[in-house]
């Protein structure tokens, strides 16, 4: 789904990002940490870099904000 203004407020860089989408998955999704880089999601032939993940695995899913990497 397309990120809403309310959801973008949850991201520290929310006022600078364009092309942010929200993805839901039953598989874990990861952001950058000491072990590597953020996951990338391909959707409709566009690549998105995961910028924030909410772990709702107790409810059976993960919610991730990802930024469109087109032109990066």
């Amino acid at each position: 789904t397309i990120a809403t203004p309310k959801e973008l407020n949850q991201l520290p860089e929310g006022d600078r990002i364009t092309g942010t989408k929200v993805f839901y998955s039953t598989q874990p999704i990861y952001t950058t940490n000491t072990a590597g880089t953020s996951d990338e999601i391909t959707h409709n032939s566009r690549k998105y870099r995961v910028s924030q993940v909410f772990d709702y695995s107790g409810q059976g899913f993960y919610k991730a904000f990802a930024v469109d990497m087109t032109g990066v």
Side-chain angles (χ1 to χ4, degrees), residues 2-70:
I2 297 171
T4 66
K6 181 178 177 182
E7 289 173 325
L8 287 174
N9 285 332
Q10 296 175 5
L11 297 172
E13 65 276 15
D15 60 341
R16 290 180 284 155
I17 292 177
T18 59
T20 299
K21 290 209 182 243
V22 180
F23 294 92
Y24 296 88
S25 175
T26 56
Q27 301 297 314
I29 302 172
Y30 300 101
T31 58
T32 303
N33 58 36
T34 56
T37 59
S38 297
D39 282 346
E40 291 181 3
I41 298 170
T42 302
H43 174 68
N44 288 339
S45 301
R46 295 178 83 103
K47 283 190 176 184
Y48 295 84
R49 181 183 45 82
V50 174
S51 59
Q52 188 167 13
V53 176
F54 295 90
D55 183 350
Y56 296 119
S57 57
Q59 288 79 35
F61 69 97
Y62 297 83
K63 177 181 180 179
F65 290 96
V67 181
D68 189 343
M69 295 176 58
T70 303

